[in-house]
Amino acid sequence: MHELSIVQSLIELCEQNALNHNAKLIKEVQVKIGRLSGVEPELFQRCFETFKESCVYCKEAKLTIQNAELEILCLSCHKESILEENVFKCPHCQSIDFKILSGEDLHLMRLVME
């Protein structure tokens, strides 16, 4: 359950940003979670709700999670595609020789502070 440590790091980052910008509180935290990031969005949400209670700036923050598609670049036909399912081949030419462009990471997209 690595979501706990990821949420803890995210909250520390948010709190540091609020401190650096002389904010009174954080109203909203928006993240984008890639399908192959290994992060379970529902568990991430629950961990955030638990951890934010003991924070100075994030106590009232709303967490918004956006799911990131798995986007690839086929190295055979050179077309970009979004893989809808975990079938790891190019939907155009069926090649398994591709590069993942997005969908493996977790990104802090927006931080709304007052």
Side-chain angles (χ1 to χ4, degrees), residues 25-29 48-49 52 57-63:
L25 66 108
I26 296 172
K27 296 187 67 126
E28 186 176 359
V29 177
F48 183 85
E49 295 302 321
K52 78 176 191 177
Y57 299 103
C58 288
K59 190 171 255 180
E60 297 177 27
K62 174 187 172 199
L63 177 66

Side-chain angles (χ1 to χ4, degrees), residues 10-114:
L10 173 68
I11 287 178
E12 287 172 6
L13 176 65
C14 293
E15 296 262 312
Q16 188 61 50
N17 268 288
L19 184 63
N20 291 346
H21 291 92
N22 297 317
K24 293 182 177 125
L25 66 108
I26 296 172
K27 296 187 67 126
E28 186 176 359
V29 177
Q30 292 182 0
V31 296
K32 184 185 271 189
I33 298 177
R35 210 170 81 211
L36 291 184
S37 68
V39 175
E40 197 62 44
E42 296 82 18
L43 183 54
F44 190 85
Q45 178 81 46
R46 286 197 308 263
C47 290
F48 183 85
E49 295 302 321
T50 300
F51 274 106
K52 78 176 191 177
E53 294 301 318
S54 62
C55 298
V56 174
Y57 299 103
C58 288
K59 190 171 255 180
E60 297 177 27
K62 174 187 172 199
L63 177 66
T64 304
I65 297 174
Q66 178 183 0
N67 295 315
E69 298 287 347
L70 180 57
E71 187 176 357
I72 66 164
L73 171 64
C74 180
L75 300 176
S76 296
C77 71
H78 307 289
K79 292 184 180 177
E80 290 184 14
S81 304
I82 293 178
L83 299 183
E84 301 294 333
E85 299 176 15
N86 287 347
V87 177
F88 298 103
K89 60 183 176 181
C90 174
H92 301 283
C93 71
Q94 308 306 308
S95 172
I96 59 170
D97 190 21
F98 60 85
K99 175 183 173 185
I100 296 176
L101 299 176
S102 68
E104 293 183 300
D105 301 316
L106 183 145
H107 295 281
L108 173 60
M109 302 302 290
R110 186 170 182 229
L111 193 56
V112 179
M113 299 181 280
E114 260 187 14

